[in-house]
Amino acid sequence: MDQQRRSLVTAAVAAAGLAASGAALAQAGEDIVLGGSIPMTGVFAFAGIGINAGIQDYVKIVNDAGGIKGRKLRYVPEDTGYKVDASVAAFKKITSQNKVNLYYGDSTAFSKTINPELERAGTMLMAGASFATEINNPQKYPYQFLVGPDYTEMFGILLRHIAKTKPGAKVVFVYSDSEFGRDPIDESREAAKKLGLNVAAEIMTPPGSVDVSTEVIKLRRADPDFTIFHGYVLAPIPEFITQARKLGMKSQFMGTFWTMDHSMVMKMGEAADGFMGVMPFRYYYDTEGKAPMLEKIRAMRPEYQSTAYMQGFLTAMLMTEAAKRTLDAGKPLDGKNLKAALNSIKNFDTGGIIGTPITIKGNSIPVGRIYKADVKQQKMLPASDWITLE
């Protein structure tokens, strides 16, 4: 009888101990979940695969170093095929099965669609693949941010470089007839005027246009010193450049983020030589100056990693920093506290992913550098210093 009683007491003590340690673990050791709507298939898969790898690698770096205040960072992605309904379904699935504090969205359309849900829940901070100017509005999108300059700021960085290189230059905007394409045009027209530049023409094309001969004639008539393409990934930029050069045009051709990956530019072949554009991050192979994070990336992945990879990697880094600062302040991990912690980032060193310290005031990081394609070296080379917009 005594033996039986002793066994029962021992079991009860053990159970109580387990319950207590379990409760403590739930508080101290609960995973911090980073959910993701990631386009691993579909038209944007080239970016989604890079973004996914970048997030995975930074999560591994954090966890190998002991996590965030002793808590593991857990990445939970779902493939969306770059479709809004699939992205919303992925969000609902991930957030219903996990306590999510951080989220990566795959598109502007998803960011806008899910925003009321983010505001209602108030539990998470979100960033993603979008650089839409509309999202750079803390009143309208209080729990979201852009990992880089918005599209209008990208144009601003290009225009500032143009004004410095050739004051009073003649510029043409070539953009796709899409929300993405039209995004920065109105504000950039005004910005160009303020910088003393002459916007000689604006040429809009269908998003997937192949035959651009009519548009090239318009471009030749305007005869700009600089031509800025926006709202495309690749086509029809090479067709524009090839035809314009055949007509003897000497315009300097430029692009924005989604056109500027090394592999995209080099796909243009000869047309790529001298192509310039704005890039918020350093390229994988950039060895200039101190860049410990780039060295870490090159050690983890000896083959070239895309600019989409850098964007995913930096997103995870900044989200982690926001979570760390929130926990350091003894505050709960909710949308309001995480966003306030993110906006407390001043003169932050990204380990060389961005080549200058960054400050996050609103919903964007208005920093970039102009790079130029050198086809002989098969590299994108710096053509300006880092430019920060006030």
Side-chain angles (χ1 to χ4, degrees):
M1 192 71 185
D2 282 352
Q3 181 64 38
Q4 196 178 3
R5 193 180 292 122
R6 265 200 304 274
S7 299
L8 283 168
V9 169
T10 306
V13 168
L18 275 172
S21 64
L25 270 172
Q27 279 191 317
E30 201 173 38
D31 288 351
I32 296 169
V33 179
L34 195 173
S37 289
I38 313 288
M40 298 295 287
T41 55
V43 294
F44 215 53
F46 74 92
I49 289 162
I51 289 161
N52 185 59
I55 296 173
Q56 274 179 339
D57 284 1
Y58 193 74
V59 167
K60 184 180 185 325
I61 289 168
V62 169
N63 289 336
D64 286 354
I68 307 168
K69 304 279 285 180
R71 291 168 67 173
K72 287 278 188 237
L73 187 57
R74 183 158 55 88
Y75 174 44
V76 184
E78 285 276 336
D79 177 32
T80 64
Y82 198 59
K83 294 186 172 80
V84 179
D85 55 348
S87 202
V88 170
F91 177 88
K92 288 187 171 162
K93 180 182 171 185
I94 293 165
T95 55
S96 67
Q97 293 174 1
N98 304 272
K99 187 184 170 189
V100 180
N101 296 116
L102 309 164
Y103 203 87
Y104 189 100
D106 60 359
S107 67
T108 300
F110 170 72
S111 295
K112 288 164 74 168
T113 304
I114 213 71
N115 194 56
E117 190 63 39
L118 281 181
E119 287 202 64
R120 227 183 348 264
T123 53
M124 66 195 94
L125 175 68
M126 188 172 117
S130 176
F131 293 100
T133 305
E134 185 185 333
I135 293 165
N136 191 8
N137 181 336
Q139 279 71 47
K140 210 171 163 192
Y141 295 90
Y143 304 137
Q144 296 197 45
F145 71 104
L146 310 174
V147 188
D150 68 37
Y151 293 128
T152 302
E153 289 168 339
M154 286 182 197
F155 260 67
I157 291 164
L158 288 170
L159 293 169
R160 190 185 283 194
H161 176 72
I162 290 167
K164 190 180 175 185
T165 310
K166 188 168 184 179
K170 204 192 288 185
V171 186
V172 166
F173 301 158
V174 180
Y175 58 99
S176 65
D177 185 7
S178 63
E179 189 179 15
F180 172 26
R182 291 185 297 271
D183 179 314
I185 302 304
D186 290 345
E187 285 184 52
S188 299
R189 192 185 301 124
E190 296 308 309
K193 276 181 198 162
K194 281 180 187 162
L195 288 164
L197 301 170
N198 170 21
V199 180
E202 293 175 19
I203 299 168
M204 188 165 73
T205 77
S209 59
V210 180
D211 179 13
V212 291
S213 47
T214 312
E215 286 85 359
V216 172
I217 290 163
K218 287 181 197 167
L219 187 63
R220 188 190 183 192
R221 204 175 294 138
D223 192 27
D225 301 301
F226 295 85
T227 303
I228 301 176
F229 294 102
H230 178 71
Y232 311 104
V233 174
L234 191 58
I237 297 172
E239 292 84 353
F240 258 102
I241 296 172
T242 305
Q243 288 185 39
R245 285 189 180 150
K246 275 182 186 162
L247 293 171
M249 283 186 65
K250 296 278 187 267
S251 186
Q252 171 64 64
F253 298 103
M254 306 177 107
T256 51
F257 180 80
W258 289 114
T259 299
M260 283 297 287
D261 183 56
H262 169 96
S263 59
M264 284 299 156
V265 176
M266 296 306 160
K267 270 181 193 165
M268 295 186 199
E270 278 181 37
D273 208 33
F275 184 80
M276 293 170 87
V278 59
M279 178 49 57
F281 322 121
R282 280 207 240 197
Y283 285 88
Y284 171 86
Y285 43 68
D286 190 344
T287 53
E288 170 202 68
K290 280 173 73 177
M293 274 301 177
L294 275 185
E295 284 166 25
K296 232 173 215 182
I297 289 165
R298 288 192 287 257
M300 288 172 92
R301 295 187 184 260
E303 68 289 350
Y304 170 81
Q305 294 301 311
S306 68
T307 51
Y309 172 98
M310 296 299 170
Q311 204 254 8
F313 190 95
L314 184 62
T315 302
M317 185 193 291
L318 293 173
M319 285 179 164
T320 299
E321 184 63 21
K324 183 182 169 296
R325 289 180 182 215
T326 303
L327 293 174
D328 279 345
K331 292 179 177 175
L333 291 175
D334 61 27
K336 196 176 175 184
N337 292 334
L338 285 162
K339 185 58 171 37
L342 183 86
N343 286 137
S344 76
I345 290 175
K346 287 182 179 65
N347 297 318
F348 180 75
D349 181 0
T350 60
I353 303 292
I354 294 176
T356 189
I358 60 166
T359 296
I360 308 176
K361 290 176 188 166
N363 280 7
S364 76
I365 308 164
V367 176
R369 189 186 211 179
I370 312 301
Y371 280 84
K372 188 172 189 173
D374 185 321
V375 170
K376 199 180 281 181
Q377 286 191 60
Q378 285 288 296
K379 279 189 175 176
M380 303 298 292
L381 302 174
S384 79
D385 288 332
W386 289 90
I387 298 166
T388 304
L389 299 177
E390 291 308 316

Short mmCIF file of all heavy atoms in Angstrom, two decimals, residues 58-84:
data_model
loop_
_atom_site.label_atom_id
_atom_site.label_comp_id
_atom_site.label_asym_id
_atom_site.label_seq_id
_atom_site.Cartn_x
_atom_site.Cartn_y
_atom_site.Cartn_z
N TYR A 58 18.58 33.49 -43.29
CA TYR A 58 18.70 34.40 -42.14
C TYR A 58 18.10 33.77 -40.89
O TYR A 58 18.64 33.92 -39.79
CB TYR A 58 18.07 35.78 -42.40
CG TYR A 58 18.51 36.74 -41.32
CD1 TYR A 58 19.80 37.24 -41.31
CD2 TYR A 58 17.67 37.06 -40.25
CE1 TYR A 58 20.26 38.06 -40.28
CE2 TYR A 58 18.11 37.89 -39.22
CZ TYR A 58 19.40 38.37 -39.24
OH TYR A 58 19.86 39.17 -38.21
N VAL A 59 17.00 33.04 -41.04
CA VAL A 59 16.39 32.33 -39.90
C VAL A 59 17.40 31.34 -39.30
O VAL A 59 17.55 31.23 -38.08
CB VAL A 59 15.08 31.61 -40.33
CG1 VAL A 59 14.61 30.63 -39.27
CG2 VAL A 59 13.98 32.65 -40.62
N LYS A 60 18.14 30.65 -40.17
CA LYS A 60 19.17 29.69 -39.71
C LYS A 60 20.27 30.42 -38.94
O LYS A 60 20.70 29.97 -37.86
CB LYS A 60 19.76 28.93 -40.90
CG LYS A 60 20.75 27.84 -40.48
CD LYS A 60 21.33 27.10 -41.67
CE LYS A 60 22.22 25.94 -41.28
NZ LYS A 60 23.04 26.07 -40.10
N ILE A 61 20.72 31.57 -39.46
CA ILE A 61 21.77 32.36 -38.78
C ILE A 61 21.30 32.76 -37.38
O ILE A 61 22.03 32.63 -36.40
CB ILE A 61 22.15 33.61 -39.62
CG1 ILE A 61 22.94 33.19 -40.88
CG2 ILE A 61 22.96 34.62 -38.81
CD1 ILE A 61 23.12 34.28 -41.92
N VAL A 62 20.05 33.23 -37.28
CA VAL A 62 19.49 33.66 -35.98
C VAL A 62 19.41 32.48 -35.01
O VAL A 62 19.85 32.57 -33.87
CB VAL A 62 18.07 34.28 -36.17
CG1 VAL A 62 17.36 34.48 -34.84
CG2 VAL A 62 18.19 35.61 -36.90
N ASN A 63 18.86 31.36 -35.48
CA ASN A 63 18.69 30.20 -34.60
C ASN A 63 20.01 29.56 -34.20
O ASN A 63 20.16 29.10 -33.06
CB ASN A 63 17.75 29.18 -35.24
CG ASN A 63 16.31 29.67 -35.27
OD1 ASN A 63 15.93 30.53 -34.45
ND2 ASN A 63 15.51 29.17 -36.19
N ASP A 64 20.98 29.55 -35.12
CA ASP A 64 22.31 29.00 -34.79
C ASP A 64 22.99 29.83 -33.71
O ASP A 64 23.83 29.34 -32.96
CB ASP A 64 23.21 28.94 -36.04
CG ASP A 64 22.81 27.80 -36.98
OD1 ASP A 64 21.92 27.00 -36.61
OD2 ASP A 64 23.37 27.72 -38.10
N ALA A 65 22.61 31.13 -33.64
CA ALA A 65 23.20 32.03 -32.63
C ALA A 65 22.37 32.07 -31.35
O ALA A 65 22.59 32.91 -30.47
CB ALA A 65 23.34 33.43 -33.22
N GLY A 66 21.36 31.18 -31.23
CA GLY A 66 20.57 31.10 -30.00
C GLY A 66 19.19 31.71 -30.06
O GLY A 66 18.49 31.80 -29.06
N GLY A 67 18.78 32.17 -31.24
CA GLY A 67 17.43 32.71 -31.41
C GLY A 67 17.32 34.17 -30.97
O GLY A 67 18.31 34.89 -30.86
N ILE A 68 16.08 34.60 -30.73
CA ILE A 68 15.81 35.98 -30.30
C ILE A 68 15.43 35.92 -28.82
O ILE A 68 14.37 35.40 -28.48
CB ILE A 68 14.65 36.61 -31.11
CG1 ILE A 68 14.89 36.47 -32.63
CG2 ILE A 68 14.44 38.06 -30.74
CD1 ILE A 68 13.69 36.80 -33.49
N LYS A 69 16.31 36.42 -27.97
CA LYS A 69 16.09 36.36 -26.51
C LYS A 69 15.75 34.92 -26.09
O LYS A 69 14.80 34.68 -25.33
CB LYS A 69 14.95 37.30 -26.11
CG LYS A 69 15.13 38.76 -26.51
CD LYS A 69 16.03 39.54 -25.57
CE LYS A 69 15.37 39.91 -24.27
NZ LYS A 69 16.27 40.68 -23.39
N GLY A 70 16.49 33.97 -26.63
CA GLY A 70 16.30 32.57 -26.29
C GLY A 70 15.13 31.89 -26.97
O GLY A 70 14.85 30.72 -26.72
N ARG A 71 14.42 32.62 -27.82
CA ARG A 71 13.28 32.02 -28.54
C ARG A 71 13.66 31.75 -29.99
O ARG A 71 14.28 32.58 -30.65
CB ARG A 71 12.08 32.97 -28.47
CG ARG A 71 11.50 33.05 -27.06
CD ARG A 71 10.50 34.17 -26.91
NE ARG A 71 9.29 33.94 -27.69
CZ ARG A 71 8.20 34.72 -27.62
NH1 ARG A 71 8.19 35.76 -26.82
NH2 ARG A 71 7.15 34.47 -28.36
N LYS A 72 13.26 30.61 -30.49
CA LYS A 72 13.56 30.24 -31.87
C LYS A 72 12.68 31.02 -32.84
O LYS A 72 11.52 31.30 -32.56
CB LYS A 72 13.32 28.73 -32.09
CG LYS A 72 14.37 27.83 -31.43
CD LYS A 72 15.61 27.72 -32.30
CE LYS A 72 16.60 26.70 -31.78
NZ LYS A 72 17.93 27.25 -31.53
N LEU A 73 13.26 31.33 -33.99
CA LEU A 73 12.50 31.95 -35.09
C LEU A 73 12.07 30.80 -36.00
O LEU A 73 12.91 29.98 -36.40
CB LEU A 73 13.40 32.94 -35.82
CG LEU A 73 12.81 33.83 -36.90
CD1 LEU A 73 11.66 34.67 -36.38
CD2 LEU A 73 13.89 34.76 -37.47
N ARG A 74 10.78 30.69 -36.27
CA ARG A 74 10.30 29.58 -37.11
C ARG A 74 9.63 30.14 -38.35
O ARG A 74 8.70 30.94 -38.27
CB ARG A 74 9.32 28.70 -36.31
CG ARG A 74 8.83 27.47 -37.08
CD ARG A 74 8.32 26.38 -36.14
NE ARG A 74 7.29 26.86 -35.23
CZ ARG A 74 5.98 26.87 -35.50
NH1 ARG A 74 5.53 26.43 -36.67
NH2 ARG A 74 5.11 27.31 -34.61
N TYR A 75 10.12 29.70 -39.50
CA TYR A 75 9.62 30.17 -40.79
C TYR A 75 8.61 29.18 -41.35
O TYR A 75 8.90 28.00 -41.49
CB TYR A 75 10.82 30.35 -41.73
CG TYR A 75 10.50 30.71 -43.16
CD1 TYR A 75 9.54 31.68 -43.49
CD2 TYR A 75 11.19 30.09 -44.22
CE1 TYR A 75 9.27 32.01 -44.80
CE2 TYR A 75 10.93 30.43 -45.55
CZ TYR A 75 9.97 31.38 -45.83
OH TYR A 75 9.71 31.71 -47.14
N VAL A 76 7.39 29.67 -41.65
CA VAL A 76 6.32 28.80 -42.16
C VAL A 76 5.82 29.37 -43.50
O VAL A 76 4.96 30.25 -43.54
CB VAL A 76 5.14 28.72 -41.15
CG1 VAL A 76 4.08 27.73 -41.64
CG2 VAL A 76 5.62 28.34 -39.76
N PRO A 77 6.38 28.89 -44.63
CA PRO A 77 5.94 29.40 -45.93
C PRO A 77 4.90 28.52 -46.61
O PRO A 77 4.78 27.33 -46.29
CB PRO A 77 7.24 29.38 -46.73
CG PRO A 77 8.02 28.22 -46.16
CD PRO A 77 7.55 28.00 -44.74
N GLU A 78 4.15 29.10 -47.52
CA GLU A 78 3.22 28.36 -48.40
C GLU A 78 3.39 28.91 -49.81
O GLU A 78 3.51 30.12 -50.00
CB GLU A 78 1.77 28.59 -47.97
CG GLU A 78 1.34 27.84 -46.73
CD GLU A 78 0.91 26.40 -46.99
OE1 GLU A 78 0.50 26.08 -48.12
OE2 GLU A 78 0.98 25.61 -46.04
N ASP A 79 3.37 28.03 -50.81
CA ASP A 79 3.46 28.47 -52.20
C ASP A 79 2.13 29.09 -52.63
O ASP A 79 1.06 28.57 -52.33
CB ASP A 79 3.80 27.27 -53.10
CG ASP A 79 3.83 27.64 -54.57
OD1 ASP A 79 4.18 28.78 -54.92
OD2 ASP A 79 3.47 26.79 -55.39
N THR A 80 2.20 30.21 -53.35
CA THR A 80 0.98 30.91 -53.78
C THR A 80 0.83 30.95 -55.30
O THR A 80 -0.23 31.35 -55.79
CB THR A 80 1.01 32.37 -53.29
OG1 THR A 80 2.11 33.04 -53.94
CG2 THR A 80 1.18 32.44 -51.79
N GLY A 81 1.89 30.59 -56.05
CA GLY A 81 1.83 30.70 -57.50
C GLY A 81 1.61 32.13 -57.97
O GLY A 81 1.24 32.37 -59.11
N TYR A 82 1.84 33.10 -57.06
CA TYR A 82 1.65 34.53 -57.34
C TYR A 82 0.20 34.85 -57.71
O TYR A 82 -0.09 35.65 -58.58
CB TYR A 82 2.62 35.00 -58.45
CG TYR A 82 2.81 36.50 -58.49
CD1 TYR A 82 3.30 37.19 -57.40
CD2 TYR A 82 2.50 37.23 -59.64
CE1 TYR A 82 3.48 38.57 -57.43
CE2 TYR A 82 2.67 38.62 -59.69
CZ TYR A 82 3.16 39.27 -58.58
OH TYR A 82 3.34 40.64 -58.61
N LYS A 83 -0.73 34.18 -57.00
CA LYS A 83 -2.16 34.44 -57.21
C LYS A 83 -2.73 34.98 -55.90
O LYS A 83 -2.51 34.40 -54.83
CB LYS A 83 -2.88 33.15 -57.62
CG LYS A 83 -2.44 32.62 -58.98
CD LYS A 83 -3.30 31.42 -59.37
CE LYS A 83 -3.03 30.97 -60.79
NZ LYS A 83 -1.84 30.14 -60.92
N VAL A 84 -3.49 36.06 -55.98
CA VAL A 84 -3.99 36.73 -54.76
C VAL A 84 -4.87 35.81 -53.93
O VAL A 84 -4.71 35.73 -52.71
CB VAL A 84 -4.75 38.04 -55.11
CG1 VAL A 84 -5.27 38.71 -53.85
CG2 VAL A 84 -3.83 39.00 -55.83
#
